[in-house]
Amino acid sequence: MASGRIAIIGAGPGGMAAALAAIRVGFDVTLYERAGEVKAAGNILNLWPPPQKVLKLIGVDTVDLGAPCQVFFRNAKGKNRAVVNLPDAVVREYGGGFIGLLRWGLYQRMLAALPPAVLKLGHELREMRDAGDAVQLAFANGATAEADVVIGADGLRSMVRAQLWGDQPIRHQRLHLVGGYLFLDEAPDGIGVISHNRTTQVSYTPIRHEGKSGYEWWVLEACDPDAPPPVDLHGFCRDRATQFPAKVQELIAATPPAHLQRWEIRDRPPLPQWSKGRVTLVGDAAHPTSPYAAYGAGMSIEDGYFLARELAAVDIADTAAVQGALQRYEDRRKPHTAQVTQGAYHTGRMFHHLPAPLRPIRDLVFDHTPFLQKMVGDDMPAHIVAQLAEIEDAEPYVPIHRRQEAAA
Ligand SMILES: Cc1cc2nc3c(=O)[nH]c(=O)nc-3n(C[C@H](O)[C@H](O)[C@H](O)COP(=O)(O)OP(=O)(O)OC[C@H]3O[C@@H](n4cnc5c(N)ncnc54)[C@H](O)[C@@H]3O)c2cc1C
């Protein structure tokens, strides 16, 4: 088993996954979160099979975590443009492949797998100093700590990243998304639909949350970041959905207003180097991603697994060996995450920022050629399957505190 102290900054999906993976291989882990509780920043979520595989391996209960669906890309009149083709074996193994869930459902499952003493709430990192053989941390509440390796999992506005690499500007995509969810008595039909008209995306997938079934939906279009947000989010979404099929209009109309949330979409171009000395980054701190890929949280979960695996293979007291492990981790992760991040960015531009005269031509191509099928129906699933193959099969990890509970 590996030994050594790992400090993780930020208890989002990236930080929690990194903590669970590092504990699994034997490290002494502390997970610092600035908030007074772990809170899901957002409501709706979809996960691809690779993060589901990692969650299982690091001890998270993935049984009935989300509702599986097959995803279709359609135009606003309901004509199919592409179907996301995951191989049957993957669909079978991962309970349907692509799943829809509520973000809080994922957080609850990850928190349940964490030994309670690992998480330190109310700890906002203020300063970090890499002294060569260890890293010193100072928090806003006056606490200090020392660790052999520090993992910045502190999101889009990462303080760890800024300390390592300076404060580069955030890329505002001039897109916004309003998402909502509702629960229904009848079981969903296993179909997810991503549909676009000339300017707007209006989409839905089935969800499962705490044994309840329903749907999540979202409306995504270009926005002016300097303009005030819509005052009536529900009215805004109902209005945008009028050009789309009745089903999504009905889902939006039946959604309780308290279940709606809006985000402006921001990311950053790929960072050439993530790690320095004994410090590295995971998740949005390293590669914030537009929700167009539905993969930001998924990639942040995968990061923790690959990082723990590299660190477990070296003597953590040996600074050069640690640097080598961190470099191998990021060398493996950068091509995949950059491809997803840039792909999501350009897909958003193609659907929402093309000059108006080109939009009918774009839609002719999407409606009448296999272009979109190749891009999102075949190439993206192939990328997902390649990622799955990189994650080793192993016995699902049962965290120590759960094993002790089971034995008692
Ligand atoms: C609208 C929308 C829809 C999305 N849909 C999907 C989807 O369907 N599928 C998917 O996979 N991804 C999706 N994503 C992306 C996903 O939300 C992010 O990629 C994911 O949350 C990143 O996780 P993270 O742990 O890296 O960062 P975060 O979730 O941002 O967590 C960072 C944590 O660090 C803490 N923190 C920050 N600074 C400090 C500090 N100085 N000290 C201590 N703690 C600190 C924060 O409080 C927070 O808890 C979506 C994003 C948006 C905006």
Side-chain angles (χ1 to χ4, degrees):
M1 286 293 255
S3 66
R5 301 158 302 169
I6 297 199
I8 301 168
I9 312 301
M16 287 191 280
L20 288 164
I23 291 167
R24 176 192 178 201
V25 293
F27 288 114
D28 170 13
V29 175
T30 312
L31 174 58
Y32 297 100
E33 167 57 47
R34 69 178 168 195
E37 60 181 320
V38 173
K39 248 173 79 180
N43 53 8
I44 60 177
L45 196 70
N46 291 99
L47 285 180
W48 291 99
Q52 294 175 51
K53 182 171 184 178
V54 166
L55 287 170
K56 237 189 255 183
L57 287 172
I58 63 178
V60 176
D61 173 11
T62 58
V63 175
D64 202 24
L65 175 63
C69 66
Q70 182 161 36
V71 178
F72 293 83
F73 279 71
R74 293 183 178 157
N75 69 17
K77 294 195 178 102
K79 178 184 166 27
N80 273 345
R81 291 171 157 177
V83 53
V84 176
N85 280 326
L86 282 168
D88 289 345
V90 171
V91 169
R92 269 198 307 279
E93 186 168 353
Y94 294 96
F98 189 68
I99 59 168
L101 62 161
L102 293 188
R103 187 176 288 249
W104 178 235
L106 171 67
Y107 282 48
Q108 276 172 318
R109 300 283 183 104
M110 297 185 83
L111 278 172
L114 268 179
V118 166
L119 181 61
K120 300 258 181 278
L121 297 169
H123 279 66
E124 178 176 1
L125 182 69
R126 278 285 167 81
E127 276 176 52
M128 182 182 76
R129 197 176 74 83
D130 188 344
D133 56 351
V135 187
Q136 270 110 39
L137 302 170
F139 297 90
N141 62 6
T144 57
E146 191 179 84
D148 299 307
V149 171
V150 171
I151 301 172
D154 48 346
L156 173 70
R157 297 177 193 285
S158 170
M159 184 265 181
V160 176
R161 172 178 169 139
Q163 281 227 350
L164 294 180
W165 303 113
D167 204 5
Q168 298 118 342
I170 286 170
R171 181 161 68 177
H172 198 303
Q173 300 202 0
R174 295 186 297 115
L175 297 173
H176 66 164
L177 180 155
V178 181
Y181 66 93
L182 72 166
F183 296 114
L184 295 172
D185 291 334
E186 72 269 27
D189 58 8
I191 303 283
V193 177
I194 313 284
S195 46
H196 295 85
N197 66 12
R198 293 262 156 95
T199 57
T200 307
Q201 182 194 149
V202 177
S203 303
Y204 61 88
T205 69
I207 54 167
R208 286 280 289 169
H209 178 70
E210 296 178 343
K212 289 178 286 184
S213 294
Y215 283 91
E216 60 187 24
W217 54 262
W218 57 99
V219 173
L220 194 164
E221 68 176 22
C223 73
D224 173 0
D226 298 323
V231 181
D232 172 12
L233 289 185
H234 212 178
F236 167 81
C237 294
R238 285 197 308 268
D239 173 65
R240 295 307 190 270
T242 52
Q243 291 181 24
F244 288 81
K247 172 159 178 168
V248 72
Q249 293 190 37
E250 286 160 15
L251 293 177
I252 292 174
T255 298
H259 289 188
L260 266 66
Q261 216 174 330
R262 172 183 178 272
W263 298 265
E264 293 187 9
I265 297 177
R266 301 178 171 93
D267 70 352
R268 294 177 190 267
L271 183 65
Q273 175 71 23
W274 300 356
S275 317
K276 190 190 272 183
R278 289 178 167 271
V279 183
T280 193
L281 305 170
V282 296
D284 276 11
H287 45 73
T289 305
S290 147
Y292 243 101
Y295 209 166
M299 291 190 300
S300 73
I301 290 166
E302 294 163 7
D303 285 345
Y305 163 83
F306 286 106
L307 176 54
R309 219 169 64 168
E310 292 297 347
L311 284 172
V314 299
D315 173 5
I316 210 154
D318 177 343
T319 299
V322 168
Q323 285 169 342
L326 298 184
Q327 195 62 47
R328 280 190 297 282
Y329 149 71
E330 69 168 69
D331 286 348
R332 178 191 279 272
R333 297 300 293 158
K334 279 188 295 200
H336 164 56
T337 55
Q339 182 176 335
V340 172
T341 302
Q342 291 298 84
Y345 171 72
H346 290 297
T347 310
R349 288 187 63 76
M350 179 176 71
F351 276 115
H352 306 287
H353 289 307
L354 215 57
L358 296 180
R359 291 177 201 157
I361 302 166
R362 172 201 63 195
D363 290 350
L364 267 176
V365 171
F366 288 169
D367 284 339
H368 299 290
T369 76
F371 179 85
L372 205 59
Q373 177 60 42
K374 175 160 173 28
M375 192 175 101
V376 298
D378 301 331
D379 291 355
M380 179 68 178
H383 185 73
I384 299 286
V385 171
Q387 223 10 242
L388 264 182
E390 284 194 42
I391 300 162
E392 278 170 13
D393 289 307
E395 283 294 301
Y397 165 67
V398 180
I400 294 160
H401 67 298
R402 286 273 174 264
R403 259 184 273 153
Q404 285 165 345
E405 280 166 17

